[in-house]
Amino acid sequence: MQNYPQYSSKQKWIHWLTLVLIVCTYLLVFFKVTLSSYLGGMFNIYLFHKSFGVLIFGITLWRFIVIKQDGVPDVLPKSQKRQRILSKSVQGFIYILLIIVPLSGYLMSSRPLNFFGVISIPAIDMPNKAYQLFHQTHQVSAYLLIALLIVHIAGALFHYVWIKDKVLQSMLKRN
Ligand code: HEM
Ligand code: HEM
């Protein structure tokens, strides 16, 4: 038995799987030129980028259901008010962006989305102005998400290395 609060094993799976998918999604667009020579053209790069994005969207919806079922452990003590507000706000904005980023990616395209080349998700017909707006939203929100993740990861490492409490372990240890 651990004597500190823990996320459920489902929550841990979702958390670390999202990390892997997010890294892949960003790497695909940031290294698109190099990767396109391996994957055989830009078409494939965006097929994978979009498909990973859709997966992240789906997993995030599942995450909300799991949070509702399993609850969220009280990782930081009640006395650390400012830290609790900061970490919860960052996590809250991350949740919102995990919805906005893939959704705007889907909405900015006038072509059907080919999920891993298997399932075709139809595009929504909109005026050109709306596509442009979602394109901008996709770019801005994707970079905002990177900024928040830097704060989030720095916070987790700060707890582990500096404060030496069990915050990181709450997301790591096997239940
Ligand atoms: C969480 C998931 C996602 C993340 C983190 C993400 C992130 C990004 C980033 C960083 C860029 C480069 C922006 C730039 O500098 O121009 C980009 C571009 C793009 N994304 Fe996503 N994306 C995600 C999901 C999606 C989805 C679901 C779709 C479509 C269904 C999509 C479609 C695109 C397209 C078409 C571009 C190219 C835009 C351009 O040419 O300017 N993305 N994405
Ligand atoms: C090296 C990378 C990462 C580390 C070390 C890390 C660490 C942690 C830790 C220790 C917690 C629990 C803290 C608490 O409850 O106050 C947590 C929660 C959370 N993390 Fe991360 N994280 C990382 C990457 C990510 C990524 C890439 C995302 C999203 C794309 C993310 C999203 C979240 C969210 C939304 C929570 C709240 C609980 C939940 O719903 O799972 N984290 N993280």
Side-chain angles (χ1 to χ4, degrees):
M1 272 287 281
Q2 272 96 17
N3 57 355
Y4 53 87
Q6 291 262 335
Y7 282 89
S8 70
S9 54
K10 248 190 246 162
Q11 283 167 322
K12 287 174 190 167
W13 269 103
I14 292 172
H15 181 266
W16 297 113
L17 181 63
T18 306
L19 166 71
V20 174
L21 292 174
I22 276 278
V23 169
C24 293
T25 312
Y26 278 114
L27 287 181
L28 279 166
V29 284
F30 291 156
F31 294 98
K32 60 185 172 201
V33 178
T34 322
L35 286 168
S36 68
S37 54
Y38 291 105
L39 287 167
M42 287 293 175
F43 165 73
N44 275 327
I45 297 280
Y46 282 105
L47 187 142
F48 284 110
H49 175 81
K50 293 173 180 183
S51 302
F52 280 128
V54 171
L55 264 184
I56 292 169
F57 181 78
I59 290 173
T60 304
L61 296 183
W62 181 36
R63 187 177 205 145
F64 293 153
I65 297 170
V66 173
I67 287 176
K68 198 132 198 283
Q69 285 170 348
D70 298 354
V72 174
D74 238 345
V75 171
L76 288 172
K78 293 246 178 329
S79 55
Q80 296 179 7
K81 245 196 180 153
R82 234 181 296 155
Q83 282 211 34
R84 281 171 73 100
I85 294 171
L86 180 67
S87 79
K88 290 291 168 202
S89 319
V90 171
Q91 285 168 18
F93 279 121
I94 291 176
Y95 289 137
I96 295 169
L97 288 174
L98 285 176
I99 294 296
I100 292 181
V101 176
L103 199 60
S104 56
Y106 165 65
L107 292 173
M108 74 191 226
S109 173
S110 54
R111 270 175 297 163
L113 195 167
N114 210 350
F115 184 68
F116 288 113
V118 181
I119 305 168
S120 178
I121 307 170
I124 298 173
D125 213 13
M126 282 181 292
N128 238 352
K129 272 246 161 69
Y131 291 128
Q132 281 164 13
L133 180 74
F134 287 121
H135 189 172
Q136 278 172 348
T137 309
H138 191 62
Q139 288 179 329
V140 173
S141 57
Y143 288 106
L144 198 60
L145 180 57
I146 294 183
L148 283 171
L149 287 177
I150 291 173
V151 176
H152 173 72
I153 295 167
L157 296 180
F158 175 73
H159 275 272
Y160 181 70
V161 176
W162 198 261
I163 306 182
K164 296 188 168 55
D165 58 13
K166 302 284 183 191
V167 164
L168 186 58
Q169 277 88 333
S170 72
M171 199 44 108
L172 275 181
K173 285 269 166 68
R174 275 173 187 273
N175 287 343

